[in-house]
Amino acid sequence: MGFLVSPPDGEPAYAYVGRLPPPGLPPSNCSSEDRDVVIHDFRGDEASFSLDVHGFCAAAIPPPLASEALADLRSRRFAMGEEPEVQHIAQAILSTVLPNCVVHLFSAILRSADPKDTGSLSRPAARVHVDQTHAMGIDRIKLLPPHFQQRIAAENLRVRIVNVWIPLNENPETLDFPLALGDSRSCPESLLVPVKTYLRAREGENASVVFDERLKFYYLSGMRMGEVLLVKCFDSVCNEDGTYSRSPHGSFRDPRVSVSQDSDPNGLARGVHRTSVEMRCIVVDVHPSN
């Protein structure tokens, strides 16, 4: 997996993505290093993992919605700015894990590992990261309607940012770039490096991860149609020890899978190029009576 090599001399890390940097400035002062890591399969043990302990968990699209939802997601309409088309899908999925929640979808990103997919599709993110620093997570709350922001403050409501990750392949059981999920407890804040990002339409800040032997990763093998991964990137409520649970994550090249030809002479499993969507959601706990 890919890990951050911190900029020299303690420089603040930055990256221009979809925007040209000022003259004379390189697009980024960050680099990556590949490290071999053990990634544990948690298939069969899904119930042991939770958003608020590990920072991730398995979920599913509710069966009444599954067929229609996957068709909507594969249509890619939302990639052209029509995120409300899939707002109800995110709400339905997250409500199965966080039943008293209100979901605000603020971004939906299609990714493909197929070299033939170009243009609007992003590549799988190879460097291990958390999508928002804690400060940027707080800032994202400003995307909510003003009256809802006021309610959050007045009632001291809990706010999370959760990615809803769904493979969109017709037969997603064997993917060339599955998603690896870091156990939040294995990643102290000292391993997270804020990276200021200059995007086409806005600025942001994510956290890249430097390698450490303590890091522990998992993935869900053989994902079936309608299965989902939930990945927490921000939480307004800290744990008893003062830490905040969030899952560092990134894609990895499965060395057991080949997508180069129909019959692989090395005996690798015949896989498919991953196509996936991640729906980035602000999730607010509300009181059951409300």
Side-chain angles (χ1 to χ4, degrees), residues 69-76 78 86 89 110 166 168 277 279:
L70 288 168
D72 282 348
L73 293 170
R74 290 198 189 99
S75 73
R76 303 181 179 180
F78 61 90
V86 292
I89 301 173
L110 280 165
I166 307 174
L168 297 179
V277 61
M279 296 183 282

Side-chain angles (χ1 to χ4, degrees), residues 91-113:
Q91 177 74 61
I93 294 169
L94 285 160
S95 293
T96 65
V97 176
L98 303 170
N100 300 310
C101 73
V102 174
V103 173
H104 173 80
L105 175 70
F106 67 88
S107 175
I109 300 176
L110 280 165
R111 298 189 187 276
S112 174

Side-chain angles (χ1 to χ4, degrees), residues 133-144:
T133 60
H134 192 77
M136 184 52 57
I138 294 172
D139 189 71
R140 283 283 178 263
I141 297 174
K142 297 176 184 177
L143 296 173
L144 296 171

Side-chain angles (χ1 to χ4, degrees), residues 35-272:
R35 292 291 196 121
D36 291 334
V37 297
V38 175
I39 304 174
H40 306 271
D41 185 3
F42 72 107
R43 169 70 67 188
D45 197 26
E46 293 92 328
S48 298
F49 293 82
S50 72
L51 276 179
D52 292 334
V53 174
H54 305 86
F56 66 88
C57 70
I61 303 174
L65 269 181
S67 178
E68 176 187 352
L70 288 168
D72 282 348
L73 293 170
R74 290 198 189 99
S75 73
R76 303 181 179 180
R77 288 176 295 174
F78 61 90
M80 296 179 287
E82 298 183 19
E83 284 89 348
E85 292 290 331
V86 292
Q87 168 78 38
H88 70 290
I89 301 173
Q91 177 74 61
I93 294 169
L94 285 160
S95 293
T96 65
V97 176
L98 303 170
N100 300 310
C101 73
V102 174
V103 173
H104 173 80
L105 175 70
F106 67 88
S107 175
I109 300 176
L110 280 165
R111 298 189 187 276
S112 174
D114 191 335
K116 294 181 290 186
D117 276 335
T118 59
S120 62
L121 296 187
S122 300
R123 301 289 292 170
R127 190 159 73 196
V128 180
H129 65 285
V130 179
D131 288 23
Q132 292 86 24
T133 60
H134 192 77
M136 184 52 57
I138 294 172
D139 189 71
R140 283 283 178 263
I141 297 174
K142 297 176 184 177
L143 296 173
L144 296 171
H147 73 277
F148 202 19
Q149 294 181 48
Q150 294 167 7
R151 180 182 172 189
I152 290 170
E155 301 181 24
N156 195 28
L157 300 179
R158 184 176 189 172
V159 181
R160 303 174 180 88
I161 295 179
V162 179
N163 288 358
V164 179
W165 190 89
I166 307 174
L168 297 179
N169 304 81
E170 294 287 349
N171 296 294
E173 290 87 355
T174 310
L175 300 178
D176 55 349
F177 280 92
L179 188 65
L181 306 157
D183 186 335
S184 176
R185 301 169 300 175
S186 72
C187 183
E189 289 293 317
S190 59
L191 300 183
L192 300 180
V193 178
V195 179
K196 182 78 172 181
T197 54
Y198 298 89
L199 308 176
R200 185 175 292 109
R202 59 178 174 82
E203 297 179 5
E205 188 178 66
N206 62 34
S208 285
V209 181
V210 296
F211 177 75
D212 190 281
E213 295 285 353
R214 291 172 290 179
L215 291 165
K216 194 169 185 179
F217 291 94
Y218 296 85
Y219 85 112
L220 187 63
S221 66
M223 290 188 72
R224 305 174 184 94
M225 298 297 292
E227 289 188 324
V228 176
L229 293 171
L230 302 181
V231 188
K232 184 164 66 170
C233 297
F234 167 81
D235 199 326
S236 65
V237 174
C238 66
N239 300 319
E240 290 183 359
D241 61 1
T243 62
Y244 292 89
S245 61
R246 67 286 177 269
S247 175
H249 56 280
S251 63
F252 68 98
R253 183 73 170 88
D254 190 336
R256 301 165 300 177
V257 174
S258 170
V259 293
S260 60
Q261 50 193 18
D262 291 330
S263 179
D264 190 275
N266 298 314
L268 300 179
R270 172 63 181 164
V272 294

